[in-house]
Amino acid sequence: GVLLEPPLTVKEFQLLHLLYRKQSHVISKEEIAKAIWDYEVYDFNAIDALVYRVRQRIEVDPAQPKYLVTVRGFGYKLILTPDK
């Protein structure tokens, strides 16, 4: 519920929008890559970096994410109502 200043970049917004549309479901890195980049070969390090940047913007403690969480070995998911 807080306006982000400066606003998210286009890629940050696209990632957050994708995760929001499929909230609480795990989204694979492949699915993220196909939805956000239109390349044939994907750099998963770029996805990790993008997730890192979004976490820096939306998490109270980015080192202990509660909203944008990693599902080890598969991808990421957005949780709108994290456990306290």
Side-chain angles (χ1 to χ4, degrees):
V2 177
L3 183 62
L4 296 175
E5 283 297 326
L8 296 171
T9 66
V10 171
K11 295 291 184 211
E12 291 168 348
F13 179 83
Q14 287 174 328
L15 173 63
L16 208 49
H17 186 251
L18 172 66
L19 293 169
Y20 179 78
R21 285 191 333 244
K22 299 183 179 198
Q23 57 190 285
S24 298
H25 291 94
V26 180
I27 309 300
S28 70
K29 288 185 178 185
E30 290 85 4
E31 189 175 350
I32 291 170
K34 289 176 184 174
I36 296 177
W37 286 276
D38 53 357
Y39 309 133
E40 289 298 317
V41 177
Y42 307 113
D43 179 2
F44 292 137
N45 291 326
I47 294 170
D48 295 336
L50 182 60
V51 168
Y52 173 84
R53 290 194 313 268
V54 171
R55 280 187 179 143
Q56 296 300 309
R57 302 295 306 279
I58 68 169
E59 296 284 356
V60 174
D61 180 2
Q64 300 283 324
K66 295 187 185 306
Y67 298 102
L68 179 46
V69 297
T70 301
V71 177
R72 189 172 295 267
F74 189 70
Y76 302 96
K77 70 178 176 177
L78 183 66
I79 300 173
L80 296 182
T81 54
D83 296 331
K84 302 292 181 214

